[in-house]
Amino acid sequence: MKAHRLADSSQYADNWTLTDELWAILDSGPDLRGEFRFLEVGEEPMVMSHRELVENASAVTAGLERRGLQKGDSVAVILPENPDFLRGFLGAVIGAMVPVPLFPPLGFGGLDAYVERNARILEASGARVLVTSRRLQKVMWSLISEVDTLEEVVCIEDLAESGPADITRPGVSPDDLCFLQYTSGSTAAPKGVMVTHRSLGANMYGIVHQGLQIDFDTEEGVSWLPMYHDMGLIGMTLAPLSTGMTMSFIPTLDFVMYPECWVETISEYRAAATFAPNFAYALATKKIPKEKVAALDLSCLRVAGCGAEPIHPDTMRSFNEHFAPAGLRPEALVPAYGMAEATLAVSFIGVEEPVKTDRVCPNAYEQENVARPLGGVDTDMSERQAHEFVSCGRAFPRHSVKIMDEEGNVLGDREVGEIVFEGPSVAAGYYRDAEKTAETFTEHGLRTGDLGYMVGDELYVTGRKKDLIIINGRNFDPQTIEWKASEVAGVRKGNVVAFSLQTRESEELVVIAEAKGDVDPGRMARDIKRAVSRELFIKVSQVEIVGRATLPKTSSGKLQRSKAKEQYLSGELGKTMRAASRKVDVTSVGKHVARSMVNRMRHFVKQRVGNLSETLRSIVLPD
C-alpha cells in the first residue's frame, strides 16, 4: 500500500479510508515526505515527521485496546496541546474507533456550563473513554458521574507510554464512521455529524486538488485554527497529513494574544497556504502596525482562505490593502463556504481569481427576495445603500449547489433561497437523531439552513435562514445590520448582534453591541440608531450597550444570536461573561475537583475489586 494516496489523483478512488492511510504511513520507510512543526511563542519548535507522529499515535491505539476498546467504540478527546490532540485523535482512528473531538476549557470560569454541555455530548455520543491530559483530568473525572456510558478518564501521557506493539489491524470500509464532529451550536443545540471515511476522502480530495491545487512536494502551510473544529482538523491537519504536506501549527491562544505571529510564521517559513475566518483577517489588519508589515515578505502566500462565518467585503479589501507592502497579492485571498454537515467545504473561488463582490439593489433584495445588480433603474441609488455580498465560488466536481424555496422548487439565477448541497462529501447524518437527520439530509440534498443565490455557477451566501430579520415586509440579514453598527465609534467590531422581536403591532429591531471601554451608552445607542437608519432605512427600536466579552459565542468564536436573544428576554444578558474572560469561580472549580477525586477513587476501588475477584475465581475455579 502506498502512503499519501490522497496526494496522487491517479490513485484516488472511492475505497479510500483514513485508517488505511494511517496504516500505509506506518508501513512506509523513513524517507516518507512531510512533517509537522508545532510552534509556541518564545519556544523552540517541536518537529515531527508524519511517520513519527503516526507511530506515536499507534502507541495510544495500543493503550486504548488494552482497556478493551475496539472498532466502532466512541472515544472522546479533550486535549489542549496540538501534538497531544493529534496522538489521541489519530490513535483512535488507527484502531477504527470513533474519536469525538471536544474543545478544552479555555479557563476555569464558567466550569458548570462547560461540564453540563460536554456531559450532554458525551452521553449522546456513547463515549466509553475520555482521553485528556494530566492537568485537565483533575476536573474531567467530574464527568464520570454525569455520563452513563463513560467508563474511564485516561491521560494521554499514560496511553502513550507503552509502545505500539501488537495492535490490531482492523478492516475498515469507506462507509464506516470515521469520527463524530459536533456542530458549534451557533443557532441550535450541538448535533453529532457522522463523518464517514468516504465523505472525508471526497471532501479533502476536493479541497487539495480541485479547490487549492496544492503542490505537496514544494508548498507548505500555516495554521492557528483549533484542531477540535472541522476547518482546523480536516482542512489544515488531516488533508496535509494525507498528502505529505508540511505544516506549521501555532497554538490558537498565541494567535489571539499575538495576531502578528500568524503572518510572521507565514513569512519565516515561506508558506503558500493558510485559512482563517473573517474575524481573523479583521484582527490582523487592526492589530499589526504598518511598520511590522513592512518587515514581512508575504509574496510566498498563494492561498489565504476565508470561511466559517459571513465574509465582510470591507474586511477582504482592508486586509489586501494593509498587507500589500509585504508583497501580498490580491489573488491570494480565497473566499469559501462550508459547514460540518458537508464534512467541511462546499465551494471555493478559483485559485488566482481576485475576490469578487456583488452589489445588489436593497429594495429588490429586501422585498422581492431577488439579488438584482445595482444599476439601470437603480442608478440614482447611493452606492452605500446597496447590499454587497462576496462570491464563495463553485462546488467541486461530482458535487452541486442549488437554491431552493420552502416547497422544494429550484430557483433561478439571483433568486434568494436556501442553499442545498449534493455530492459524496455530504455526511451520513446526525448520530442517533433520525428526526433531525430526515429534516436536513433530504432527497433533494443537504438543506444547509443558509440563504444565498446563484449567478451562473457561482454561489453568494447571504446569511442564516433562522436569523433572517423581517421588518415591515423587508428581509434583512442580521450581519448587514451588525456590520453597519460596528462602524460606530467605540463599538467592538465583530461583537454586535441584531434580531427582531414580535410585538402586538409589528416586528421590532433590537441591536446589542459590546463597547470597547468607558463610553457614554446613551450616546452610543443614539449613534447606532442613526447609522443603521441612515444606511439601511430601517428603524432600530432598542439598543443595548454591554461590556466586553458579554455576548455569547460558540467555542469556535461564532456569535450565538438566538442565545443572545434568549438572554436579553430573560434579563440574563450581561450577568455572565464568555469563558475565556470570566474570573475563576473558586466554588465551582472546587466542586468539580472534589467530584473528580471521588469519582477517581470509586473507579480505582472498583478496578481493584474486579481484579481481585478475577484472581479468586481463577484459584477457586481453575481452568
Side-chain angles (χ1 to χ4, degrees):
M1 183 183 298
K2 180 181 178 182
H4 298 330
R5 291 184 305 150
L6 202 68
D8 187 346
S9 58
S10 65
Q11 293 288 325
Y12 177 76
D14 286 336
N15 64 354
W16 182 93
T17 73
L18 180 59
T19 300
D20 288 341
E21 186 79 74
L22 297 177
W23 277 94
I25 292 173
L26 284 173
D27 292 340
S28 66
D31 58 343
L32 183 72
R33 71 165 181 260
E35 64 182 26
F36 282 173
R37 299 187 198 96
F38 299 101
L39 311 178
E40 195 167 344
V41 172
E43 301 290 337
E44 286 295 314
M46 175 194 294
V47 182
M48 299 179 72
S49 71
H50 289 180
R51 192 171 189 277
E52 288 172 329
L53 175 64
V54 177
E55 282 179 344
N56 288 346
S58 67
V60 173
T61 311
L64 292 171
E65 289 185 346
R66 281 196 309 277
R67 286 163 171 78
L69 277 86
Q70 53 191 339
K71 179 181 178 180
D73 286 339
S74 295
V75 178
V77 181
I78 302 180
L79 289 161
E81 305 296 331
N82 286 336
D84 288 344
F85 175 87
L86 280 179
R87 284 194 288 265
F89 182 91
L90 297 175
V93 175
I94 289 169
M97 302 157 204
V98 180
V100 184
L102 299 174
F103 70 97
L106 301 178
F108 287 115
L111 200 55
D112 286 342
Y114 175 85
V115 169
E116 180 184 348
R117 180 187 186 275
N118 280 341
R120 291 199 307 268
I121 292 177
L122 290 168
E123 189 77 49
S125 68
R128 289 184 55 192
V129 168
L130 167 58
V131 181
T132 189
S133 66
R134 285 196 178 126
R135 183 171 63 89
L136 288 182
Q137 71 160 339
K138 297 173 184 177
V139 171
M140 293 303 157
W141 273 98
S142 177
L143 287 160
I144 286 281
S145 56
E146 306 296 313
V147 182
D148 292 338
T149 62
L150 197 58
E151 301 168 6
E152 185 179 5
V153 175
V154 59
C155 299
I156 187 72
E157 296 91 342
D158 297 332
L159 281 175
E161 275 180 356
S162 58
D166 301 322
I167 60 175
T168 303
R169 188 162 189 154
V172 181
S173 77
D175 292 316
D176 284 342
L177 192 55
C178 183
F179 67 96
L180 290 175
Q181 179 71 56
Y182 274 82
T183 60
S184 60
S186 57
T187 58
K191 299 180 287 291
V193 176
M194 297 190 289
V195 178
T196 65
H197 292 274
R198 185 186 303 279
S199 67
L200 179 64
N203 204 249
M204 292 198 305
Y205 185 81
I207 290 170
V208 298
H209 283 291
Q210 298 151 347
L212 304 182
Q213 300 175 23
I214 295 293
D215 183 337
F216 316 108
D217 292 318
T218 62
E219 294 187 318
E220 297 189 11
V222 167
S223 176
W224 56 263
L225 299 170
M227 291 185 180
Y228 47 81
H229 282 294
D230 50 9
M231 190 159 72
L233 175 60
I234 298 171
M236 301 307 289
T237 306
L238 297 182
L241 180 64
S242 299
T243 54
M245 184 179 178
T246 292
M247 289 289 299
S248 296
F249 295 102
I250 303 166
T252 301
L253 289 180
D254 278 5
F255 164 74
V256 173
M257 296 176 67
Y258 314 104
E260 62 269 24
C261 70
W262 179 29
V263 288
E264 286 173 352
T265 303
I266 292 169
S267 178
E268 178 180 355
Y269 288 103
R270 315 306 301 142
T274 193
F275 229 101
N278 181 88
F279 87 85
Y281 289 96
L283 185 65
T285 303
K286 176 183 177 183
K287 294 291 187 180
I288 302 173
K290 291 184 177 180
E291 55 269 23
K292 286 193 175 183
V293 171
L296 300 171
D297 181 1
L298 300 181
S299 61
C300 55
L301 190 59
R302 190 174 60 81
V303 175
C306 184
E309 63 184 14
I311 302 172
H312 196 324
D314 284 342
T315 299
M316 299 291 94
R317 284 190 285 264
S318 297
F319 185 84
N320 261 326
E321 180 181 344
H322 189 70
F323 289 96
L328 178 72
R329 298 177 305 110
E331 297 80 14
L333 280 171
V334 178
Y337 168 65
M339 62 189 308
E341 289 83 349
T343 298
L344 176 58
V346 169
S347 64
F348 277 79
I349 70 165
V351 175
E352 299 299 324
E353 288 184 21
V355 175
K356 183 187 298 184
T357 67
D358 190 33
R359 302 178 70 83
V360 303
C361 171
N363 292 336
Y365 180 80
E366 295 158 13
Q367 300 175 25
E368 304 169 29
N369 283 332
V370 174
R372 190 171 69 218
L374 196 65
V377 297
D378 310 304
T379 51
D380 60 340
M381 185 169 292
S382 167
E383 280 287 315
R384 289 184 61 83
Q385 296 170 16
H387 292 320
E388 186 178 19
F389 302 108
V390 175
S391 170
C392 290
R394 308 163 191 84
F396 302 138
R398 302 201 302 161
H399 297 76
S400 67
V401 174
K402 56 191 173 185
I403 308 298
M404 301 184 74
D405 63 16
E406 293 286 349
E407 288 72 43
N409 301 308
V410 178
L411 301 178
D413 253 25
R414 293 191 170 277
E415 293 184 281
V416 180
E418 184 175 7
I419 301 168
V420 179
F421 179 59
E422 291 182 286
S425 291
V426 175
Y430 297 123
Y431 191 61
R432 296 178 176 175
D433 195 337
E435 182 180 351
K436 292 292 184 184
T437 296
E439 290 176 6
T440 304
F441 299 83
T442 72
E443 60 180 350
H444 301 295
L446 172 66
R447 301 204 74 135
T448 65
D450 287 327
L451 295 171
Y453 61 93
M454 302 295 293
V455 178
D457 61 353
E458 289 191 52
L459 172 65
Y460 289 82
V461 182
T462 62
R464 289 290 296 173
K465 188 177 177 182
K466 291 181 180 179
D467 291 336
L468 189 68
I469 295 171
I470 304 175
I471 303 289
N472 298 328
R474 298 167 65 197
N475 297 337
F476 293 91
D477 303 303
Q479 68 267 18
T480 301
I481 299 168
E482 292 159 2
W483 290 340
K484 295 298 181 186
S486 289
E487 294 173 2
V488 172
V491 174
R492 296 187 68 228
K493 286 192 175 183
N495 291 276
V496 180
V497 297
F499 53 82
S500 61
L501 294 177
Q502 180 66 56
T503 67
R504 287 185 179 181
E505 293 79 20
S506 64
E507 290 274 325
E508 291 188 349
L509 176 62
V510 178
V511 174
I512 305 173
E514 290 186 5
K516 289 181 180 179
D518 292 332
V519 298
D520 179 345
R523 180 175 180 177
M524 180 178 284
R526 290 192 294 273
D527 289 345
I528 289 174
K529 286 183 177 182
R530 280 196 293 267
V532 174
S533 175
R534 181 177 65 248
E535 302 297 339
L536 300 176
F537 298 99
I538 181 175
K539 177 184 176 183
V540 182
S541 299
Q542 302 174 56
V543 176
E544 187 86 5
I545 306 300
V546 296
R548 182 185 181 90
T550 298
L551 290 171
K553 292 186 178 182
T554 69
S555 58
S556 58
K558 296 179 183 177
L559 288 167
Q560 293 177 298
R561 295 187 184 94
S562 58
K563 190 171 182 179
K565 181 177 179 179
E566 178 185 317
Q567 291 180 350
Y568 175 81
L569 291 172
S570 67
E572 293 298 312
L573 187 70
K575 293 184 178 180
T576 60
M577 300 178 73
R578 292 195 293 273
S581 302
R582 292 177 188 144
K583 293 181 179 179
V584 175
D585 183 340
V586 177
T587 302
S588 174
V589 173
K591 176 182 69 177
H592 290 289
V593 169
R595 184 184 295 170
S596 290
M597 292 174 64
V598 171
N599 288 342
R600 289 178 70 185
M601 183 60 70
R602 285 175 177 169
H603 176 79
F604 176 79
V605 172
K606 181 179 178 181
Q607 202 172 40
R608 285 301 177 93
V609 170
N611 291 340
L612 179 60
S613 175
E614 287 297 319
T615 302
L616 292 174
R617 186 179 294 113
S618 67
I619 294 172
V620 176
L621 299 172
D623 292 337

